[in-house]
Amino acid sequence: MEFKTLTGDLITSPCLVLGIFEDELKGDAKPQSDLVQQLDRAGNGWLTSLFNQGDITGELEQTLLLQKVPGIASERILLVGCGKTTKFKLYNARKAITAAIQALKKHRIPAATWTLHQHLPQDLSKDLAQDKKIYNWVWENLLRIRDLNYRFERFKSEAKPPKRPLTEITFWNDIAAQDATLKAIQHGQATANGVQLTKDLANLPGNICTPTYLAEQAQTLATEIPKLQVNILEKPELEKLGMGAFLGVAQGSRQDPKLILMEYRNADSATKPVVLVGKGITFDSGGVSLKPGDAMDEMKFDMSGAASVFGTIKACSDLQLPINLIGIVPATENMPGDNAIKPGDILTSMSGTTIEVLNTDAEGRLILCDALTYSAKFNPDVVIDIATLTGACVVALGHHPSGLLTNDDDLAAKLMEASNNSGDRLWQLPLWEDYSPQMKSNFADIANIGERMGGGAITAASFLAHFTKKLRWAHLDIAGTAWLSGAKKGATGRPVPLLTYYLLQRCNLN
Ligand code: BES
Ligand code: MN
Ligand code: ZN
């Protein structure tokens, strides 16, 4: 999909997308936005007469497609209800964008001139300079448009691509907004490419997307990205490293585990890298502590953290960010094979800490603890793990923000800044020591689950914190945000926008 910008006079467009507010259409009130006024004058009041007719009131998410409006060179105008001006905040603005794209798709309009980004939501990036607000809002508009235009039809024997797909959006701006808009398009496009890769990987079924498949995909990525080096550590090497926790999870499956190492180096060797660790459970049956059957298919998404590491590396390499970025993906299935670990088994992690496995379904933390221990070898500046770790995080936060837990206040502030600006939100949960005693074990150093005292997302993070004491580390629990259920079932590509925004921020580029 292509994005362009246009400033100055509006020349002809296949479709002009125009936001309409409820309060500007009430009674004889004059349209408030310059753009609507301008178009109204060009058509000698044609638009005003249409508004008076009452077919569109500007109510949120209303859309009306107009053809061949008098005095206007564009073939079509799509009016999009944005609700009341006083209530135009991010929540409504996002709804208006979605309604507009859905209408463009429904009417099979292949190219459109976009103006919705000119209406900045009142609660957007408070206290930031105008330029930065424009950048953030164009970035989010673009990512939402690409998101709504995504399709996954690899396994449909009769794929039905749309007859006239939406392939081009032109952001129409004032000249003053041009630089920020161009930058947002460049950054947003690279990020959306990363999101797309993440969705493509995460949407794959478990019988295709095995640990071996993920390792091959990493190697393919390395052939596309010259600055990316990929190394795959196989089972014997993992044994030599003493990764007993990771290997313990893998032993119930016929699929060999892989530790996928991806090194994107585009800064001098003295620059400490950012390390991303992604949970790569290609299917989570729960193991011997078997999951209930309901929606178990969704556990193919349990490698979404891994997929987001792939996507973020792709986005950063598209942007040629001058950073060193390392991806670590422990990849395995969690299956109840006859050699599987059992409740009560004790594993020795790479760090030497022994772990009593009280529930084999708490497998994410077992593979991550060894990957996090391994990450220290890269002498990282910061380590961020991304994992569909706990159902408890979904209970706590629902499907809107990912959970953030960290041992470093500065890293928390930076990630929250990216969260507020990127439209890919986080919510911080406490990582107090108070939660740690819940994981006491009578037989090993720690247990892999806490006593039933609530706070499951936090006890899981506390388990990981045990292995990251010497690191500046953050954990993103994406159990509620990595995919959608129900009719729209599918991967979201989150938190690639957040992570890419954070890395751009580190380079002072946004
Ligand atoms: N992959 C799941 C977490 C999950 C559950 C993600 C639902 C998305 C939706 C994880 O491995 C898991 O099973 N966690 C258990 C932990 C429990 C046994 C302490 C959970 O959340 O139930
Ligand atoms: Mn599990
Ligand atoms: Zn899992």
Side-chain angles (χ1 to χ4, degrees):
M1 194 174 187
E2 223 186 313
F3 288 86
K4 296 179 175 168
T5 62
L6 181 70
T7 59
D9 285 343
L10 183 65
I11 40 172
T12 178
S13 156
C15 184
L16 178 62
V17 180
L18 209 56
I20 298 291
F21 289 89
E22 238 174 295
D23 32 354
E24 49 182 23
L25 302 187
K26 282 256 169 64
D28 287 334
K30 271 254 162 220
Q32 287 167 18
S33 100
D34 289 352
L35 200 51
V36 177
Q37 281 189 36
Q38 218 174 303
L39 294 168
D40 194 40
R41 274 199 301 273
N44 285 324
W46 194 93
L47 277 178
T48 301
S49 71
L50 175 98
F51 296 148
N52 288 339
Q53 200 173 298
D55 289 11
I56 184 155
T57 61
E59 222 170 277
L60 188 62
E61 295 181 284
Q62 239 182 4
T63 59
L64 183 65
L65 185 67
L66 308 175
Q67 315 266 2
K68 312 229 181 298
V69 175
I72 287 156
S74 295
E75 292 150 46
R76 309 174 189 84
I77 295 181
L78 178 69
L79 299 177
V80 182
C82 294
K84 294 199 174 71
T85 27
T86 48
K87 289 205 176 143
F88 195 68
K89 298 191 179 166
L90 283 160
Y91 179 74
N92 281 12
R94 287 167 177 152
K95 285 204 168 332
I97 294 172
T98 303
I101 293 298
Q102 276 164 355
L104 290 176
K105 284 170 61 176
K106 177 175 143 213
H107 295 293
R108 301 182 178 176
I109 296 167
T113 301
W114 195 258
T115 65
L116 295 185
H117 64 293
Q118 295 187 10
H119 307 291
L120 298 181
Q122 290 151 19
D123 52 346
L124 173 79
S125 322
K126 284 212 182 82
D127 308 326
L128 289 185
Q130 182 75 357
D131 252 19
K132 181 87 186 242
K133 285 190 185 178
I134 293 169
Y135 170 89
N136 287 342
W137 190 229
V138 171
W139 149 289
E140 187 171 335
N141 274 252
L142 187 151
L143 281 161
R144 286 183 183 273
I145 294 168
R146 288 268 318 252
D147 181 59
L148 291 161
N149 221 18
Y150 173 84
R151 302 166 65 84
F152 183 76
E153 296 196 317
R154 188 166 152 186
F155 299 98
K156 298 273 191 194
S157 45
E158 281 174 60
K160 290 197 186 92
K163 290 225 170 57
R164 282 200 305 181
L166 178 61
T167 56
E168 192 184 295
I169 295 280
T170 303
F171 288 101
W172 186 35
N173 318 302
D174 297 339
I175 187 80
Q178 186 68 346
D179 286 353
T181 305
L182 281 169
K183 192 166 81 167
I185 290 179
Q186 193 213 346
H187 294 176
Q189 278 285 58
T191 306
N193 293 341
V195 168
Q196 188 169 326
L197 172 63
T198 299
K199 287 184 182 179
D200 282 345
L201 287 172
N203 280 329
L204 291 171
N207 60 333
I208 305 279
C209 185
T210 58
T212 303
Y213 180 92
L214 274 182
E216 285 164 5
Q217 291 310 298
Q219 272 152 343
T220 306
L221 203 58
T223 64
E224 291 161 13
I225 304 172
K227 296 208 159 94
L228 181 65
Q229 265 233 348
V230 166
N231 261 308
I232 311 295
L233 302 193
E234 305 283 343
K235 202 169 150 196
E237 290 151 288
L238 304 177
E239 279 163 357
K240 238 178 274 163
L241 286 166
M243 291 194 174
F246 178 24
L247 288 166
V249 174
Q251 77 190 37
S253 164
R254 289 177 182 245
Q255 297 289 337
D256 280 333
K258 309 277 172 181
L259 187 71
I260 303 168
L261 303 173
M262 298 180 270
E263 300 184 40
Y264 168 79
R265 295 198 180 266
N266 196 26
D268 61 64
S269 54
T271 308
K272 287 181 165 190
V274 172
V275 177
L276 303 178
V277 178
K279 174 176 172 183
I281 296 288
T282 59
F283 186 75
D284 182 10
S285 70
V288 168
S289 314
L290 197 64
K291 283 185 180 295
D294 223 33
M296 208 207 249
D297 67 293
E298 294 187 3
M299 283 301 129
K300 72 173 187 177
F301 294 118
D302 212 19
M303 37 60 74
S304 295
S308 76
V309 173
F310 280 72
T312 304
I313 289 174
K314 174 158 177 58
C316 291
S317 71
D318 272 15
L319 290 164
Q320 297 184 294
L321 291 193
I323 51 173
N324 294 327
L325 180 63
I326 314 280
I328 303 180
V329 169
T332 175
E333 288 182 329
N334 183 26
M335 294 292 280
D338 58 9
N339 192 40
I341 49 169
K342 308 165 292 295
D345 284 4
I346 293 176
L347 304 173
T348 304
S349 67
M350 184 183 177
S351 70
T353 297
T354 56
I355 305 163
E356 186 184 14
V357 179
L358 291 178
N359 188 319
T360 66
D361 198 10
E363 85 297 339
R365 59 199 83 180
L366 294 174
I367 70 170
L368 288 171
C369 72
D370 279 345
L372 286 166
T373 301
Y374 187 78
S375 75
K377 153 190 150 96
F378 294 99
N379 189 25
D381 182 38
V382 301
V383 178
I384 303 171
D385 80 72
I386 309 109
T388 47
L389 202 64
T390 64
C393 190
V394 190
V395 173
L397 299 175
H399 298 279
H400 303 293
S402 308
L404 162 66
L405 298 107
T406 172
N407 63 11
D408 189 277
D409 290 343
D410 180 55
L411 181 55
K414 296 277 161 46
L415 286 169
M416 284 314 295
E417 189 185 337
S419 158
N420 293 331
N421 289 326
S422 66
D424 185 357
R425 287 172 291 177
L426 300 175
W427 195 260
Q428 193 175 356
L429 298 170
L431 195 60
W432 296 321
E433 270 178 74
D434 307 56
Y435 293 89
S436 300
Q438 290 186 31
M439 279 170 308
K440 273 211 196 100
S441 162
N442 281 3
F443 304 102
D445 298 336
I446 49 174
N448 79 328
I449 56 168
E451 294 167 69
R452 289 188 182 274
M453 294 167 83
I458 303 173
T459 46
S462 305
F463 179 94
L464 297 177
H466 181 92
F467 299 87
T468 56
K469 289 184 180 136
K470 293 189 185 127
L471 301 170
R472 293 178 60 206
W473 158 78
H475 160 63
L476 306 182
D477 194 329
I478 59 168
T481 54
W483 73 87
L484 304 172
S485 305
K488 290 184 185 155
K489 194 192 289 179
T492 61
R494 290 177 66 182
V496 173
L498 171 97
L499 291 169
T500 309
Y501 199 102
Y502 164 74
L503 292 166
L504 278 160
Q505 207 173 269
R506 279 180 70 99
C507 302
N508 292 316
L509 285 170
N510 54 6

